[in-house]
Short mmCIF file of all heavy atoms in Angstrom, two decimals:
data_model
loop_
_atom_site.label_atom_id
_atom_site.label_comp_id
_atom_site.label_asym_id
_atom_site.label_seq_id
_atom_site.Cartn_x
_atom_site.Cartn_y
_atom_site.Cartn_z
N GLU L 56 44.76 -3.08 48.03
CA GLU L 56 44.98 -2.13 49.12
C GLU L 56 43.74 -1.27 49.36
O GLU L 56 43.37 -1.00 50.51
CB GLU L 56 46.19 -1.24 48.80
CG GLU L 56 47.52 -1.92 48.97
CD GLU L 56 47.78 -2.30 50.42
OE1 GLU L 56 47.88 -1.39 51.27
OE2 GLU L 56 47.88 -3.51 50.70
N ALA L 57 43.10 -0.84 48.28
CA ALA L 57 41.91 -0.01 48.42
C ALA L 57 40.78 -0.79 49.08
O ALA L 57 40.04 -0.25 49.92
CB ALA L 57 41.47 0.52 47.06
N LEU L 58 40.61 -2.04 48.73
CA LEU L 58 39.58 -2.88 49.36
C LEU L 58 39.90 -3.10 50.83
O LEU L 58 39.02 -3.00 51.70
CB LEU L 58 39.47 -4.22 48.62
CG LEU L 58 38.90 -4.15 47.20
CD1 LEU L 58 39.11 -5.48 46.48
CD2 LEU L 58 37.41 -3.80 47.23
N LYS L 59 41.15 -3.39 51.13
CA LYS L 59 41.55 -3.63 52.52
C LYS L 59 41.34 -2.39 53.37
O LYS L 59 40.81 -2.48 54.49
CB LYS L 59 43.02 -4.05 52.57
CG LYS L 59 43.52 -4.38 53.96
CD LYS L 59 44.98 -4.83 53.95
CE LYS L 59 45.90 -3.65 53.74
NZ LYS L 59 47.34 -4.03 53.86
N ASN L 60 41.70 -1.23 52.87
CA ASN L 60 41.57 0.01 53.64
C ASN L 60 40.12 0.47 53.77
O ASN L 60 39.81 1.35 54.58
CB ASN L 60 42.41 1.11 53.01
CG ASN L 60 43.90 0.88 53.21
OD1 ASN L 60 44.31 0.36 54.24
ND2 ASN L 60 44.71 1.23 52.22
N ALA L 61 39.23 -0.14 52.98
CA ALA L 61 37.79 0.12 53.14
C ALA L 61 37.18 -0.87 54.13
O ALA L 61 35.94 -0.93 54.26
CB ALA L 61 37.09 0.02 51.80
N ASP L 62 38.05 -1.63 54.80
CA ASP L 62 37.62 -2.62 55.81
C ASP L 62 36.83 -3.77 55.19
O ASP L 62 35.95 -4.36 55.83
CB ASP L 62 36.78 -1.96 56.92
CG ASP L 62 37.56 -0.90 57.69
OD1 ASP L 62 38.79 -1.05 57.81
OD2 ASP L 62 36.94 0.08 58.13
N ILE L 63 37.14 -4.08 53.93
CA ILE L 63 36.54 -5.24 53.28
C ILE L 63 37.51 -6.40 53.44
O ILE L 63 38.64 -6.35 52.96
CB ILE L 63 36.25 -4.97 51.80
CG1 ILE L 63 35.22 -3.85 51.68
CG2 ILE L 63 35.77 -6.22 51.08
CD1 ILE L 63 34.97 -3.37 50.28
N ALA L 64 37.09 -7.42 54.14
CA ALA L 64 37.97 -8.52 54.47
C ALA L 64 38.30 -9.34 53.23
O ALA L 64 37.42 -9.64 52.42
CB ALA L 64 37.32 -9.42 55.54
N LEU L 65 39.56 -9.70 53.10
CA LEU L 65 40.00 -10.52 51.97
C LEU L 65 39.22 -11.83 51.92
O LEU L 65 38.91 -12.34 50.83
CB LEU L 65 41.50 -10.81 52.08
CG LEU L 65 42.15 -11.59 50.94
CD1 LEU L 65 42.07 -10.81 49.65
CD2 LEU L 65 43.60 -11.93 51.28
N ALA L 66 38.85 -12.33 53.08
CA ALA L 66 38.12 -13.60 53.14
C ALA L 66 36.76 -13.51 52.44
O ALA L 66 36.21 -14.52 52.01
CB ALA L 66 37.92 -14.02 54.59
N ASP L 67 36.23 -12.27 52.31
CA ASP L 67 34.93 -12.09 51.69
C ASP L 67 34.94 -12.36 50.19
O ASP L 67 33.89 -12.62 49.59
CB ASP L 67 34.41 -10.66 51.93
CG ASP L 67 34.04 -10.42 53.40
OD1 ASP L 67 33.90 -11.41 54.13
OD2 ASP L 67 33.91 -9.24 53.78
N PHE L 68 36.13 -12.29 49.59
CA PHE L 68 36.17 -12.49 48.14
C PHE L 68 37.33 -13.37 47.67
O PHE L 68 37.55 -13.52 46.46
CB PHE L 68 36.19 -11.15 47.41
CG PHE L 68 37.37 -10.26 47.71
CD1 PHE L 68 38.48 -10.26 46.89
CD2 PHE L 68 37.35 -9.41 48.81
CE1 PHE L 68 39.56 -9.43 47.16
CE2 PHE L 68 38.42 -8.58 49.08
CZ PHE L 68 39.54 -8.59 48.25
N THR L 69 38.05 -14.01 48.60
CA THR L 69 39.15 -14.88 48.21
C THR L 69 38.69 -15.98 47.26
O THR L 69 39.40 -16.35 46.32
CB THR L 69 39.81 -15.52 49.45
OG1 THR L 69 40.29 -14.48 50.31
CG2 THR L 69 40.96 -16.42 49.07
N HIS L 70 37.49 -16.48 47.50
CA HIS L 70 36.98 -17.58 46.67
C HIS L 70 36.76 -17.15 45.22
O HIS L 70 36.63 -18.00 44.33
CB HIS L 70 35.67 -18.10 47.26
CG HIS L 70 34.55 -17.10 47.22
ND1 HIS L 70 34.46 -16.04 48.10
CD2 HIS L 70 33.47 -16.98 46.39
CE1 HIS L 70 33.39 -15.32 47.81
NE2 HIS L 70 32.77 -15.87 46.79
N MET L 71 36.71 -15.84 44.96
CA MET L 71 36.50 -15.35 43.60
C MET L 71 37.81 -15.22 42.82
O MET L 71 37.79 -15.03 41.60
CB MET L 71 35.85 -13.96 43.62
CG MET L 71 34.57 -13.84 44.41
SD MET L 71 34.02 -12.10 44.37
CE MET L 71 32.79 -12.13 45.68
N LEU L 72 38.95 -15.30 43.51
CA LEU L 72 40.24 -14.97 42.92
C LEU L 72 40.93 -16.18 42.32
O LEU L 72 40.98 -17.24 42.94
CB LEU L 72 41.16 -14.33 43.96
CG LEU L 72 40.67 -13.07 44.66
CD1 LEU L 72 41.66 -12.65 45.74
CD2 LEU L 72 40.45 -11.95 43.67
N VAL L 73 41.47 -15.99 41.13
CA VAL L 73 42.32 -17.01 40.51
C VAL L 73 43.68 -16.37 40.27
O VAL L 73 43.80 -15.43 39.47
CB VAL L 73 41.74 -17.52 39.17
CG1 VAL L 73 42.64 -18.60 38.58
CG2 VAL L 73 40.32 -18.05 39.36
N PRO L 74 44.72 -16.82 40.98
CA PRO L 74 46.04 -16.19 40.84
C PRO L 74 46.66 -16.43 39.47
O PRO L 74 46.51 -17.50 38.87
CB PRO L 74 46.88 -16.85 41.94
CG PRO L 74 46.20 -18.13 42.24
CD PRO L 74 44.74 -17.91 41.98
N MET L 75 47.34 -15.41 38.96
CA MET L 75 48.08 -15.51 37.70
C MET L 75 49.51 -15.03 37.96
O MET L 75 49.72 -13.88 38.34
CB MET L 75 47.42 -14.66 36.61
CG MET L 75 46.01 -15.09 36.25
SD MET L 75 45.28 -14.14 34.88
CE MET L 75 45.12 -12.50 35.61
N LYS L 76 50.48 -15.93 37.78
CA LYS L 76 51.87 -15.62 38.12
C LYS L 76 52.66 -15.03 36.95
O LYS L 76 53.79 -14.61 37.12
CB LYS L 76 52.58 -16.86 38.64
CG LYS L 76 52.59 -18.03 37.68
CD LYS L 76 53.17 -19.27 38.35
CE LYS L 76 53.12 -20.49 37.44
NZ LYS L 76 53.61 -21.71 38.12
N GLY L 77 52.07 -15.04 35.76
CA GLY L 77 52.78 -14.49 34.61
C GLY L 77 52.01 -14.68 33.33
O GLY L 77 50.88 -15.17 33.31
N ARG L 78 52.64 -14.27 32.24
CA ARG L 78 52.07 -14.45 30.91
C ARG L 78 52.56 -15.78 30.33
O ARG L 78 53.71 -16.16 30.51
CB ARG L 78 52.52 -13.33 29.97
CG ARG L 78 52.12 -11.93 30.41
CD ARG L 78 52.87 -10.91 29.55
NE ARG L 78 52.46 -9.53 29.87
CZ ARG L 78 53.08 -8.45 29.40
NH1 ARG L 78 54.13 -8.59 28.61
NH2 ARG L 78 52.67 -7.24 29.73
N MET L 79 51.67 -16.45 29.63
CA MET L 79 52.06 -17.62 28.85
C MET L 79 51.88 -17.25 27.38
O MET L 79 50.76 -17.03 26.92
CB MET L 79 51.21 -18.83 29.21
CG MET L 79 51.63 -20.11 28.48
SD MET L 79 53.33 -20.64 28.88
CE MET L 79 53.13 -21.17 30.59
N ILE L 80 52.99 -17.14 26.67
CA ILE L 80 52.98 -16.69 25.29
C ILE L 80 52.81 -17.89 24.35
O ILE L 80 53.62 -18.82 24.37
CB ILE L 80 54.28 -15.94 24.94
CG1 ILE L 80 54.56 -14.83 25.97
CG2 ILE L 80 54.20 -15.37 23.53
CD1 ILE L 80 53.47 -13.80 26.10
N HIS L 81 51.75 -17.86 23.54
CA HIS L 81 51.49 -18.91 22.55
C HIS L 81 52.01 -18.44 21.20
O HIS L 81 51.48 -17.49 20.62
CB HIS L 81 49.99 -19.20 22.46
CG HIS L 81 49.42 -19.83 23.68
ND1 HIS L 81 48.97 -21.13 23.71
CD2 HIS L 81 49.23 -19.34 24.94
CE1 HIS L 81 48.51 -21.42 24.92
NE2 HIS L 81 48.66 -20.34 25.69
N LYS L 82 53.02 -19.12 20.69
CA LYS L 82 53.60 -18.75 19.41
C LYS L 82 52.84 -19.41 18.27
O LYS L 82 52.04 -20.32 18.48
CB LYS L 82 55.08 -19.13 19.39
CG LYS L 82 55.87 -18.46 20.52
CD LYS L 82 57.33 -18.88 20.53
CE LYS L 82 58.06 -18.21 21.70
NZ LYS L 82 59.50 -18.62 21.75
N ARG L 83 53.13 -18.97 17.06
CA ARG L 83 52.42 -19.49 15.89
C ARG L 83 52.66 -20.99 15.69
O ARG L 83 51.79 -21.69 15.17
CB ARG L 83 52.85 -18.74 14.63
CG ARG L 83 52.31 -17.32 14.55
CD ARG L 83 52.71 -16.69 13.23
NE ARG L 83 52.28 -15.29 13.15
CZ ARG L 83 51.09 -14.89 12.73
NH1 ARG L 83 50.21 -15.78 12.34
NH2 ARG L 83 50.79 -13.60 12.69
#
């Protein structure tokens, strides 16, 4: 939100983003 309200277009950095939908817990 802060980037968007500074008029920085999402398209300028979308290529840098890797989405994470949750935690993957690795047990012993």
Side-chain angles (χ1 to χ4, degrees):
E56 285 295 297
L58 292 168
K59 182 178 75 174
N60 289 325
D62 299 329
I63 297 173
L65 184 64
D67 290 345
F68 60 96
T69 301
H70 65 284
M71 306 178 194
L72 303 175
V73 181
M75 297 184 293
K76 59 187 177 183
R78 300 169 177 170
M79 184 62 70
I80 308 301
H81 292 248
K82 301 178 181 179
R83 287 184 184 273

